[in-house]
Amino acid sequence: MRHKIFLNAIFVAFLFALPTMGAAQTILSVSTPEKSATYTLEELLALPQITVVTKNDYVDTAATFQGPRLRAVLEPLNVGPDATLKMVALNDFSSNVPAVDAFGYDVILAVLRDGEPMSVRDKGPIWVIYPMDDHPELQDDSFNGRLVWQLKSIAVE
């Protein structure tokens, strides 16, 4: 009898899990004091994509990064260049980034590196990438702390 109750409990749990199986998982949340938005990998890939070929202090050679512009997730929430963005990683590391960077440069939310999705182990699923090779002024230590990998949220302050 216990075995049958146990199997029934598993069956019911399975039925409740069905609607979420295969559902896309949110990988990024963006919030302001007034509004918020969430994105799945598929939704980020559906935004216009930018390719940035660059190197930084965390990759040995130039890599090809692809993803939407950071400003593409800021503009729908009416975030302007005067804001400060608190970028938070999966391990709760955070960095305060001036939003003006997103409007002055093609800073991207890289979701592909060399054409492949990035695993958490490889700094994914989202890595904030600046076009450092295209702008000598970005090759400064102050910008390295803004290259947040494993990005999970952006809070507009």
Side-chain angles (χ1 to χ4, degrees), residues 90 118-125 149-150:
L90 291 172
M118 294 178 289
S119 69
V120 170
R121 184 177 197 153
D122 294 322
K123 300 184 173 47
W149 57 79
Q150 300 174 342

Side-chain angles (χ1 to χ4, degrees), residues 4 11 27 55 78-79 90 101 103 109 120 125 128 149-150:
K4 190 172 186 174
F11 179 73
I27 62 169
K55 60 185 175 297
N78 298 319
V79 177
L90 291 172
D101 289 1
F103 295 91
L109 300 174
V120 170
V128 179
W149 57 79
Q150 300 174 342

Side-chain angles (χ1 to χ4, degrees), residues 94-108:
S94 67
S95 179
N96 289 328
V97 174
V100 71
D101 289 1
F103 295 91
Y105 301 101
D106 280 334
V107 178
I108 66 169

Side-chain angles (χ1 to χ4, degrees), residues 7-24:
L7 288 176
N8 283 339
I10 289 176
F11 179 73
V12 169
F14 178 76
L15 286 178
F16 281 108
L18 276 178
T20 60
M21 293 177 75

Side-chain angles (χ1 to χ4, degrees), residues 7 46 54 58 60 62 66 68 75 77-78 80 83 91 96 105 123 130 132 139 148-149 154-155:
L7 288 176
T54 194
Y58 308 105
D60 295 330
Q66 180 183 322
E75 289 172 337
L77 299 176
N78 298 319
N91 66 358
N96 289 328
Y105 301 101
K123 300 184 173 47
Y130 282 65
M132 297 178 114
Q139 297 170 14
V148 178
W149 57 79
I154 302 170

Side-chain angles (χ1 to χ4, degrees), residues 57-58 132 136-147:
D57 285 359
Y58 308 105
M132 297 178 114
E137 69 272 21
L138 296 177
Q139 297 170 14
D140 183 90
D141 285 341
S142 65
F143 288 95
N144 284 322
R146 300 176 190 179
L147 302 176

